[in-house]
Amino acid sequence: MGKHKTHPKLEQALTRGDLAIRQANSVRATAVLQALGKMVVDASATIGVEASTSIPDGDRIYDPDGGVWPQALLISFDGPVEEADPDEIRKVFLMADTPSVVYRVEWQRADGKLGRHEARPFAMVAFLTDVEVPWSDDEE
């Protein structure tokens, strides 16, 4: 059996194109997490709570893993993320392969179990901050 040979320029073009697509999708996921972080910080400020956010290694290129983008938006309501108790930090992930923007938040519950909640942007901000958001995601 003969081995099918790919033209080197075609292979190079496809490889570069694939990397560019992966990078663009990863950058988009990080930007969508940053947008939620800004919403959380601004909403918290309306009730006098100072929220702090961080996306460690958000500039790396990721692929979805198990239906979730690996980048994590870290949220602290107890000072800067870097100085906060790890059990008090909420981790927010962007769900992949959903027709609309959906986030998953995970946190350490008081009973020692992992809490998990999924919601669209406005519902997630309301859930995280306890701020009453005057409209819902359904009105988009």
Side-chain angles (χ1 to χ4, degrees), residues 44 49-53 74-90 108:
S44 297
V49 175
E50 187 175 329
S52 173
T53 64
L74 306 179
I75 302 174
S76 169
F77 296 101
D78 299 319
V81 169
E82 300 77 27
E83 299 172 11
D85 179 352
D87 288 342
E88 297 297 322
I89 292 178
R90 280 78 167 171
Q108 187 67 42

Side-chain angles (χ1 to χ4, degrees), residues 10 18 31 34 36 45 50 52 57 69 76 93 98 106 130 137:
L10 174 61
D18 180 60
Q34 288 171 333
L36 182 75
E50 187 175 329
S52 173
D57 297 324
W69 284 94
S76 169
F93 301 92
T98 57
E106 297 176 353
D130 288 331
D137 293 302

Side-chain angles (χ1 to χ4, degrees), residues 2-60:
K3 187 175 178 185
H4 181 48
K5 189 170 181 175
T6 304
H7 191 285
K9 287 196 183 245
L10 174 61
E11 185 176 351
Q12 183 181 40
L14 294 176
T15 301
R16 285 183 179 165
D18 180 60
L19 180 60
I21 289 169
R22 289 178 54 223
Q23 183 177 18
N25 286 334
S26 187
V27 167
R28 177 197 171 272
T30 299
V32 172
L33 285 170
Q34 288 171 333
L36 182 75
K38 176 91 170 98
M39 291 169 66
V40 167
V41 168
D42 292 348
S44 297
T46 67
I47 59 170
V49 175
E50 187 175 329
S52 173
T53 64
S54 175
I55 303 177
D57 297 324
D59 56 345
R60 292 185 46 208

Side-chain angles (χ1 to χ4, degrees), residues 35-47 49 51 73 75 77 90 92 103 105 107 117-138 140:
L36 182 75
K38 176 91 170 98
M39 291 169 66
V40 167
V41 168
D42 292 348
S44 297
T46 67
I47 59 170
V49 175
L73 169 67
I75 302 174
F77 296 101
R90 280 78 167 171
V92 181
Y103 298 97
V105 63
W107 70 97
H117 178 76
E118 292 180 7
R120 292 187 56 201
F122 295 135
M124 183 58 72
V125 170
F127 179 80
L128 288 166
T129 64
D130 288 331
V131 170
E132 185 151 336
V133 176
W135 58 87
S136 73
D137 293 302
D138 297 329
E140 289 183 36

